[in-house]
Amino acid sequence: MKVAIGGPLKLAFRPWVEGLENVPAEGPAILASNHLSFSDSFFLPAVLDRKVTFIAKAEYFTTPGVKGRMTAAFFKGVGQLPVDRSGARGAGEAAIKSGIEVLERGELFGIYPEGTRSPDGRLYRGKPGGLARVALATGAPVLPVAMIDTEKIQPPGQVMPKLMRPGIRIGRPLDFTRYQGMEHDRFVLRAVTDEVMYEIMKLSGQEYVDMYATAMKRQLAEAAKAEKEAEKAEREAEKAHRAAVARADKEQAEKLRAALEQTGRKETGGPSER
């Protein structure tokens, strides 16, 4: 996949990279990145010599048919790891377990602390569960990563990417071994996550928003729904207004016609006068 996809990807988009020397040549490490575009999971592994394993929903690997098998082969080839989101605690626990297994094999594990793509290009609050718990459980160093301009190449919902140069900045590894054994302390998890997000913010230059991206997406969806409903109500009000005006015009025309007919009868005289 690095030859079939990584090579052409680098040739076509020519991504620039800073901080490659911070990625260890061997041994476990966590790449904690901001998340601007679906293409982030392709550009980052493409510029590294080592394999990077991300997590992906299990449905990508279990869809039946020829298309399903091709999809599964593709995601396996680019280093995606299936995560079963069923169960009491769902994807969170599955992601943590998968990340620990990857790191225990001495490999690179990629994760997006925001939990989802940024809806507007800003950097959102990191979720404290996955990243911090994996880091503290394994003692693996955390490398903050900033993806630059990938949201301009492939905005959410756009299938065909725009041809332009993205950037990748990889920061110095962060050591959290001082917190080992404290992976169930929510204050420690929050502190570790915030420290990583601060480093990502410095690397990316993004505006930081102290709320979760999922919450912002809900707000945007609710706002879009409210706007749509307001536009619908405005159209219905306009339609009702036009109907009322049409009725008033019709009534006025009927009154005018009746008045003209009455005037005509008076001028010509009734049948008894003739």
Side-chain angles (χ1 to χ4, degrees):
M1 282 295 175
K2 281 188 177 292
V3 174
I5 295 178
L9 199 69
K10 288 191 289 184
L11 184 64
F13 292 92
R14 299 181 299 114
W16 56 265
V17 189
E18 296 177 1
L20 272 178
E21 67 279 3
N22 293 322
V23 181
E26 58 182 21
I30 301 170
L31 297 171
S33 173
N34 60 341
H35 198 12
L36 298 172
S37 169
F38 176 75
S39 62
D40 294 337
S41 298
F42 298 92
F43 283 114
L44 180 56
V47 301
L48 300 177
D49 293 331
R50 298 182 61 186
K51 176 183 176 181
V52 183
T53 299
F54 288 89
I55 53 176
K57 58 184 180 181
E59 289 86 341
Y60 286 144
F61 300 82
T62 57
T63 304
V66 176
K67 183 179 179 181
R69 289 195 295 272
M70 292 177 63
T71 301
F74 173 79
F75 276 96
K76 288 177 183 177
V78 296
Q80 301 288 320
L81 193 67
V83 172
D84 185 358
R85 299 183 298 173
S86 62
R89 302 187 69 175
E93 289 299 320
I96 292 168
K97 181 180 177 182
S98 298
I100 292 173
E101 290 174 352
V102 169
L103 293 166
E104 287 178 344
R105 294 197 299 265
E107 300 174 3
L108 298 179
F109 178 62
I111 188 170
Y112 300 112
E114 292 168 278
T116 185
R117 282 175 286 180
S118 170
D120 54 15
R122 296 184 293 177
L123 183 68
Y124 285 82
R125 195 181 193 197
K127 293 189 173 182
L131 167 64
R133 284 182 60 186
V134 171
L136 299 186
T138 62
V142 179
L143 278 65
V145 178
M147 306 300 296
I148 311 293
D149 289 337
T150 53
E151 82 282 10
K152 299 176 183 177
I153 292 175
Q154 191 176 24
Q158 182 172 312
V159 178
M160 294 302 295
K162 180 182 179 181
L163 202 60
M164 61 178 291
R165 292 189 75 185
I168 302 172
R169 290 194 181 101
I170 304 173
R172 295 178 180 178
L174 303 174
D175 183 4
F176 295 107
T177 53
R178 63 189 183 277
Y179 295 126
Q180 273 194 281
M182 303 174 70
E183 58 265 27
H184 298 293
D185 187 320
R186 62 189 182 94
F187 295 106
V188 171
L189 297 179
R190 182 76 264 163
V192 169
T193 305
D194 288 346
E195 184 174 339
V196 175
M197 298 309 296
Y198 178 72
E199 293 300 322
I200 293 175
M201 180 187 69
K202 289 197 300 182
L203 291 169
S204 67
Q206 291 172 275
E207 177 186 348
Y208 180 75
V209 183
D210 193 20
M211 68 181 296
Y212 294 124
T214 49
M216 175 57 74
K217 285 185 175 181
R218 284 195 298 270
Q219 287 187 12
L220 293 174
E222 290 170 1
K225 182 180 179 181
E227 184 179 358
K228 188 175 180 180
E229 290 175 350
E231 290 176 352
K232 181 180 178 181
E234 186 177 351
R235 288 195 299 270
E236 290 177 350
E238 180 64 24
K239 183 178 179 181
H241 175 70
R242 289 197 300 268
V245 170
R247 286 195 301 270
D249 289 345
K250 183 178 180 181
E251 291 173 0
Q252 185 67 25
E254 289 175 352
K255 288 180 181 179
L256 180 59
R257 184 168 57 251
L260 290 173
E261 289 175 353
Q262 185 176 4
T263 300
R265 284 196 296 270
K266 287 181 179 180
E267 291 178 350
T268 58
S272 58
E273 291 176 349
R274 289 197 298 270

